[in-house]
């Protein structure tokens, strides 16, 4: 994975510059000790910069969250390593079936897999060839992450975050 030519390095990927995506509203929700970052279609560098500023204001190295819904359905132009390190999560959520734009992109998921804390879980709302490859036992073992899919195609999935 790391040695492959998947454009895993951010510098080799074109960044999103579309006005509709740049004007989307990302949201950090913190309630009763649980936290979720909803990335919308936000630009990766803008979101990472805002999170780094928040961490600095709080006097912490990063804004750790329970769950991060990846921006732009896991587009490689929006999911950057700086974002993953600015908001390390226990759970990464991917919302896309890949039919229209082919998301999630392999380089984006590879960035999550290589930059996320060990023990993190990738949650996909669809199980298909594009997402199932990330459940490969060799990959999950090598990079220390888990993968979850809906129990059935039409059921969706629920991630419960306990209050702390």
């Amino acid at each position: 994975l790391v040695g492959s030519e998947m454009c895993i390095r951010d510098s080799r990927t074109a960044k999103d510059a579309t006005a509709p995506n740049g004007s989307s509203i990302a949201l950090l929700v913190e309630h009763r000790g649980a936290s979720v970052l909803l990335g919308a279609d936000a630009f990766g560098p803008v979101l990472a910069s805002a999170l780094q500023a928040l961490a600095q204001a709080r006097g912490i190295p990063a804004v750790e969250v329970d769950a991060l819904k990846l921006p732009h359905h896991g587009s490689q132009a929006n999911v950057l390593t700086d974002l993953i390190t600015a908001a390390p999560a226990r759970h990464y959520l991917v919302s896309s079936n890949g039919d229209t734009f082919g998301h999630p992109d392999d380089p984006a998921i590879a960035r999550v897999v290589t930059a996320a804390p060990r023990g993190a879980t990738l949650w996909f709302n669809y199980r298909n060839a594009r997402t199932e490859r990330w459940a490969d036992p060799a990959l999950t073992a090598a990079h220390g992450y888990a993968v979850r899919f809906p129990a059935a195609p039409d059921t969706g999935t629920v991630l419960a975050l306990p209050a702390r």
Side-chain angles (χ1 to χ4, degrees):
L1 173 69
V2 175
S4 72
E5 291 299 315
M6 293 182 67
C7 296
I8 192 170
R9 290 190 306 268
D10 298 340
S11 62
R12 297 179 64 190
T13 299
K15 306 301 183 285
D16 188 346
T18 60
N21 292 347
S23 66
S24 68
I25 299 169
L27 184 65
L28 173 62
V29 178
E30 298 173 313
H31 182 67
R32 294 186 180 176
S35 57
V36 177
L37 176 59
L38 303 172
D41 286 342
F43 293 161
V46 172
L47 194 51
S49 178
L51 290 161
Q52 290 161 351
L54 178 61
Q56 184 176 16
R58 290 181 175 180
I60 55 177
V63 179
E64 294 182 21
V65 295
D66 291 304
L68 190 163
K69 190 278 184 188
L70 296 179
H72 200 127
H73 313 286
S75 167
Q76 67 182 335
N78 300 72
V79 178
L80 306 178
T81 303
D82 283 350
L83 172 60
I84 304 306
T85 57
R90 292 180 25 231
H91 304 279
Y92 294 87
L93 317 175
V94 182
S95 174
S96 179
N97 67 1
D99 284 352
T100 304
F101 296 105
H103 298 321
D105 293 326
D106 286 340
I109 303 304
R111 289 176 190 139
V112 172
V113 165
T114 57
R118 290 191 74 77
T121 301
L122 282 171
W123 292 76
F124 295 102
N125 67 330
Y126 284 89
R127 184 180 206 132
N128 55 32
R130 177 167 296 286
T131 60
E132 190 155 275
R133 68 180 115 210
W134 295 101
D136 178 273
L139 274 179
T140 60
H143 296 283
Y145 69 96
V147 177
R148 299 287 181 265
F149 299 101
D154 59 349
T155 61
T157 189
V158 174
L159 169 60
L161 300 176
R164 290 189 289 277

